[in-house]
Amino acid sequence: MHHRPLLLALAATSLLGSPLLLAAPRAVDSRISAVTVYTDRAIVTRTARLELPAGQHEIALERLPERIDEASLQASISANAAATLLDVSSAAQIAERSDDDRLQRLDDQLREIARQQREVSDRNSVLENQKQYLADIQAGTSKPRQDQPMPGIEELKSLLQLSETGLERILAEQRKLEEQTQALERRKEALENQRGSLADDGTHYKRAVLRIATEQPAQVRVQLSYTLYDASWRPAYDARLRDGEEQVEMTYQGIVRQNSGEDWSDVDLTLSTARPSLGSAVPALTPWFVDTAIERVASLASRPAPAPAAPRATAMLDMAAQSKVLAELAEMPPPEAEVSAATTSASFHIPARATLNSGGGAQKVAIARFKLPATLRYLAAPALRETAYLQAVTRNTSDFPLLPGTLNTFLGNTFVASGEMRAVMPGEPFELALGGDDAMSIKRKLVKRYTDYTGLTGGRKRVTYEFRIDVQNNHGSAQRLLFKDQLPVSRNEQIQVTLLEPAGQGFSREDDGRLQWDWNLAPGEKRSVKLAFSVEYPKDLQVSGLD
């Protein structure tokens, strides 16, 4: 019995000295050093530096976003002496509630806004009363009482001027009061949002706990990475054609959005086109069975059923059960192939360090700028719109895959149009639409349209159209213009369409009635072409599609 206190003391001393019992995790400062943004997520890397004595240690990187993917948590260490990362885990963390002084200041500001709102409301009531007084004066002058004479002309003029001046003043002041009301409401909403975030039970975060063993004192560098799904990026392009140049200047940009709950300040940014959501392996096909409905019902009936809540006979299905299974079979969608539009991936490391605040809206970061050789031409369809559109036929001579994204086009420093860029791989040719250009003039005019009757007895009706297309190149250099028009296409053997002009060479004709001209125009050159055709059919045949 005398040895029991001594044994307990020795046991306690042994446990306290054991390396398995660690103190509370040591919180260390970390900073976001690098971010890789994908089209649907981001991988964030944090870095921390610290000095550790020999032994086992638990360190905590705190205030990580609450919505991190815990399964993606990874850590690595490097040190100037032997050090081992034993494990990494995450845990919930709640920041302490804000101090009462800040809440008090916000409450004081909200009370002051409420007072100002009452003043505005009271003043508006006074103005409404004045408006009603002016209305009563007007009513009294236009419809006086029986014992009251009608005012004279001069008196009416004075009353009208007084009413007009007073009403203008009242309405002007009410407009100012309305602006003040809106400004006070915006200020009140902002303060209430701030107070709401301060007055709750604290801000929720995650923290990562790393267990590290060192054989001797060491300077340790820790890197922690995790995935966030509240971030994305998409490509955007500016295509600029400068006057006198036969090359297009392309500016490749990334539009980055992030609402992760943490600010990325002065980080090493990379934009990746990889799609982690697709996985790394080809999905496995399952057998696609085709069977008659009755045999399928029998197969479902013979399949072992899960344990029911109450036992029942399942030897065969009654008619109601068969109808239900048949209905389910009818609603089953056909198997679909899983198709990926991504043919390649690339990573764009942004040379300049970037700052992207959470919830700060879209932000552009420059990826690259390069020039592409281009052959320029104009395209037009004057029957639809009398505008010539500039197009650059080019090739992606850069090392970058051009991914689908928005495309803004400029002629010099003038914004022309906005469109979409398709996916273009390095070395692949493509076309850039550069918008309408008024310097290439094209006009289409209906010269005449007339109807006559043909045949020995005049039994056929013929409608003839004649158009003139006028083109002028107002540029100081030669330009190429491709423009199209069309003939009606007959879907009935009784309806005959005949091209009258132009005749011979100089244009191409397709089976669907489209005609195309390809002209090279000298500087300032004017050129015209006549398009004439006739549509002939029995006069008592009702024909649709003619103007």
Side-chain angles (χ1 to χ4, degrees):
M1 293 295 294
H2 296 287
H3 298 289
R4 184 177 178 84
L6 179 59
L7 291 174
L8 292 174
L10 290 174
T13 304
S14 175
L15 289 173
L16 290 172
S18 171
L20 297 178
L21 287 180
L22 303 176
R26 169 188 168 187
V28 297
D29 293 330
S30 65
R31 64 176 301 273
I32 299 175
S33 54
V35 178
T36 299
V37 183
Y38 298 86
T39 55
D40 63 346
R41 69 193 68 190
I43 295 180
V44 178
T45 301
R46 283 181 174 267
T47 302
R49 300 177 185 273
L50 63 157
E51 294 186 2
L52 294 176
Q56 288 190 25
H57 312 274
E58 279 191 345
I59 64 170
L61 278 64
E62 300 189 325
R63 292 189 175 239
L64 308 181
E66 183 185 18
R67 295 188 297 271
I68 67 172
D69 182 358
E70 296 186 28
S72 70
L73 206 63
Q74 296 186 25
S76 63
I77 63 171
S78 59
N80 62 352
T84 304
L85 176 64
L86 301 178
D87 62 51
V88 57
S89 61
S90 65
Q93 180 185 16
I94 300 179
E96 294 181 0
R97 182 170 172 171
S98 302
D99 60 331
D100 293 335
D101 290 343
R102 190 172 176 190
L103 284 174
Q104 182 62 42
R105 289 195 298 271
L106 289 172
D107 288 338
D108 292 341
Q109 294 178 54
L110 286 169
R111 280 191 290 270
E112 174 61 21
I113 287 177
R115 185 191 64 79
Q116 295 179 25
Q117 287 178 323
R118 287 193 301 272
E119 287 184 353
V120 170
S121 177
D122 292 344
R123 182 57 184 167
N124 195 57
S125 298
V126 172
L127 295 174
E128 286 294 332
N129 189 35
Q130 293 179 6
K131 282 172 62 177
Q132 185 59 48
Y133 179 71
L134 291 175
D136 292 342
I137 292 177
Q138 291 177 351
T141 56
S142 61
K143 295 181 180 180
R145 296 193 305 269
Q146 293 182 358
D147 57 345
Q148 182 179 357
M150 284 289 294
I153 297 298
E154 295 300 325
E155 186 179 358
L156 284 175
K157 287 182 179 179
S158 299
L159 290 173
L160 182 61
Q161 183 177 3
L162 174 64
S163 176
E164 181 179 358
T165 304
L167 189 59
E168 285 181 351
R169 175 188 59 80
I170 292 171
L171 293 177
E173 188 172 352
Q174 283 187 323
R175 286 194 295 270
K176 291 182 180 180
L177 291 176
E178 184 178 357
E179 293 175 358
Q180 293 179 25
T181 299
Q182 293 173 354
L184 288 171
E185 282 296 331
R186 289 194 296 268
R187 179 60 178 158
K188 178 183 176 182
E189 183 179 358
L191 291 173
E192 286 178 342
N193 289 338
Q194 292 181 37
R195 194 189 189 289
S197 63
L198 292 174
D200 62 8
D201 60 349
T203 305
H204 293 255
Y205 296 98
K206 290 285 177 62
R207 70 171 183 169
V209 179
L210 287 74
R211 196 155 58 92
I212 301 173
T214 54
E215 297 182 3
Q216 60 188 48
Q219 295 180 351
V220 180
R221 179 175 180 265
V222 176
Q223 279 197 322
L224 178 76
S225 65
Y226 46 87
T227 298
L228 295 167
Y229 291 96
D230 297 315
S232 63
W233 82 281
R234 58 180 175 84
Y237 306 87
D238 287 346
R240 191 181 305 272
L241 178 66
R242 301 189 184 277
D243 192 27
E245 293 187 359
E246 293 187 354
Q247 54 185 1
V248 176
E249 181 182 288
M250 293 289 293
T251 302
Y252 197 167
Q253 303 169 106
I255 308 296
V256 185
R257 295 178 182 270
Q258 74 103 344
N259 192 27
S260 63
E262 64 181 5
D263 295 336
W264 302 339
S265 302
D266 194 31
V267 299
D268 190 18
L269 182 64
T270 300
L271 305 180
S272 176
T273 66
R275 299 175 64 189
S277 60
L278 293 180
S280 58
V282 177
L285 291 171
T286 57
W288 180 359
F289 296 109
V290 178
D291 204 347
T292 65
I294 300 303
E295 291 175 348
R296 177 64 171 156
V297 169
S299 173
L300 291 174
S302 61
R303 180 183 301 171
R312 65 173 183 170
T314 57
M316 59 185 302
L317 297 176
D318 57 19
M319 292 302 295
Q322 291 186 27
S323 299
K324 181 179 179 182
V325 172
L326 289 173
E328 291 175 351
L329 288 173
E331 294 177 358
M332 289 176 58
E336 294 183 358
E338 186 176 353
V339 180
S340 169
T343 57
T344 186
S345 64
S347 293
F348 304 116
H349 178 253
I350 308 304
R353 299 184 73 84
T355 295
L356 298 129
N357 294 328
S358 177
Q363 181 170 330
K364 284 186 178 181
V365 294
I367 295 176
R369 179 174 293 174
F370 46 86
K371 292 186 176 182
L372 304 177
T375 301
L376 303 178
R377 64 184 184 184
Y378 287 89
L379 305 178
L384 300 177
R385 182 172 295 175
E386 294 179 330
T387 303
Y389 293 87
L390 183 59
Q391 184 186 69
V393 181
T394 184
R395 181 182 297 272
N396 183 9
T397 57
S398 74
D399 297 329
F400 304 99
L402 305 180
L403 304 171
T406 56
L407 172 67
N408 293 323
T409 55
F410 298 82
L411 295 179
N413 294 323
T414 303
F415 173 75
V416 176
S418 181
E420 294 293 325
M421 169 73 77
R422 67 174 180 87
V424 182
M425 295 300 108
E428 182 180 355
F430 67 104
E431 298 169 346
L432 276 174
L434 299 176
D437 184 1
D438 294 335
M440 178 65 73
S441 172
I442 184 166
K443 302 293 182 182
R444 181 180 188 265
K445 181 181 179 181
L446 176 63
V447 178
K448 58 184 175 180
R449 176 188 184 276
Y450 59 89
T451 302
D452 60 349
Y453 295 90
T454 65
L456 295 177
T457 60
R460 292 183 64 81
K461 183 178 181 180
R462 181 170 59 195
V463 183
T464 302
Y465 297 83
E466 182 179 322
F467 296 90
R468 189 180 74 243
I469 301 173
D470 299 318
V471 175
Q472 181 171 357
N473 175 20
N474 297 311
H475 284 277
S477 58
Q479 302 293 337
R480 182 185 178 191
L481 171 65
L482 285 80
F483 64 95
K484 293 183 178 183
D485 215 302
Q486 62 186 142
L487 300 175
V489 178
S490 172
R491 290 184 172 180
N492 189 305
E493 60 182 10
Q494 299 183 78
I495 303 173
Q496 181 181 354
V497 179
T498 303
L499 176 63
L500 305 175
E501 292 188 67
Q505 305 297 319
F507 69 98
S508 62
R509 179 176 179 177
E510 300 178 11
D511 293 338
D512 61 359
R514 284 183 293 182
L515 310 174
Q516 177 173 295
W517 289 263
D518 188 350
W519 289 352
N520 288 307
L521 301 169
E525 181 181 356
K526 297 180 181 180
R527 195 182 299 186
S528 299
V529 66
K530 182 191 293 185
L531 172 62
F533 58 88
S534 64
V535 182
E536 187 176 337
Y537 51 91
K539 66 178 182 180
D540 38 345
L541 182 68
Q542 296 294 324
V543 176
S544 64
L546 295 179
D547 296 334

